Amino acid sequence: MKSLSRRNFMRSSALGLSAAVLAACTVATTNGVTTITLDVAKVKNYGQAGLNAAATVTSYLSSFPAMAPYALAITAAETALSGALGAFSTAAGSTLTISYDDATWKTRVDSILTDLDTLAAAIENAIAGAGSILSASVIADAKTAYNALATVISVFKALLGVSDSRSPVGT
């Protein structure tokens, strides 16, 4: 039952975060020029969702030496995401919003998105490579963490007009 309630919590968190993501930006078109303005706090939250997913999945893998290569890949992706998020946070400072259309900010946000994608792929590979090493409940929880992250990434990309081919992992 503990596993089920953790899964339900993660699912509701993903749905709540997805709803919050929808309020994270505004899109305005003036004289044929479209400007996307992002809420800095929300961008930080997207990155933090990735870091949380990494921590969840690596905690599952840490007890299984055979899963070490996957854990290392997730840790490397987590480190890159943490760096991108840190650089973004430092640059943003106390700024409340940024214009995604600005080349410098677009590069910073795209870096977070790229690192989120890399992290999601590493988690997906770990799930696929686990075979029978992990219990069914641990696999289900890892898939839930992946699916929550994939949802956040997809909604974030949709707001930016970036295509996303990520699909959920079956539970």
Side-chain angles (χ1 to χ4, degrees):
M1 193 61 136
K2 180 179 177 186
S3 176
L4 180 58
S5 53
R6 182 172 52 234
R7 243 191 321 266
N8 285 338
F9 170 76
M10 292 172 79
R11 281 187 185 125
S12 359
S13 295
L15 292 175
L17 189 52
S18 295
V21 168
L22 293 174
C25 81
T26 58
V27 179
T29 303
T30 306
N31 297 327
V33 176
T34 301
T35 302
I36 301 172
T37 303
L38 299 176
D39 179 329
V40 169
K42 299 295 183 182
V43 174
K44 291 177 185 179
N45 288 341
Y46 306 144
Q48 188 59 52
L51 296 175
N52 293 347
T56 299
V57 175
T58 53
S59 73
Y60 297 145
L61 303 181
S62 63
S63 302
F64 302 94
M67 297 300 294
Y70 297 107
L72 287 173
I74 292 170
T75 300
E78 178 183 21
T79 300
L81 174 58
S82 182
L85 195 54
F88 177 84
S89 296
T90 299
S94 62
T95 304
L96 298 178
T97 61
I98 58 165
S99 173
Y100 182 68
D101 301 331
D102 175 278
T104 302
W105 285 113
K106 183 176 184 337
T107 299
R108 288 182 176 119
V109 172
D110 287 351
S111 178
I112 293 170
L113 285 171
T114 298
D115 291 337
L116 282 168
D117 277 336
T118 301
L119 177 60
I123 291 172
E124 187 176 31
N125 288 338
I127 292 168
S132 62
I133 295 171
L134 303 176
S135 70
S137 65
V138 168
I139 290 288
D141 287 345
K143 286 180 180 179
T144 300
Y146 168 82
N147 289 334
L149 179 58
T151 299
V152 168
I153 294 169
S154 292
V155 172
F156 188 22
K157 286 183 174 183
L159 291 171
L160 298 174
V162 176
S163 65
D164 189 18
S165 60
R166 185 163 319 290
S167 62
V169 175
T171 53

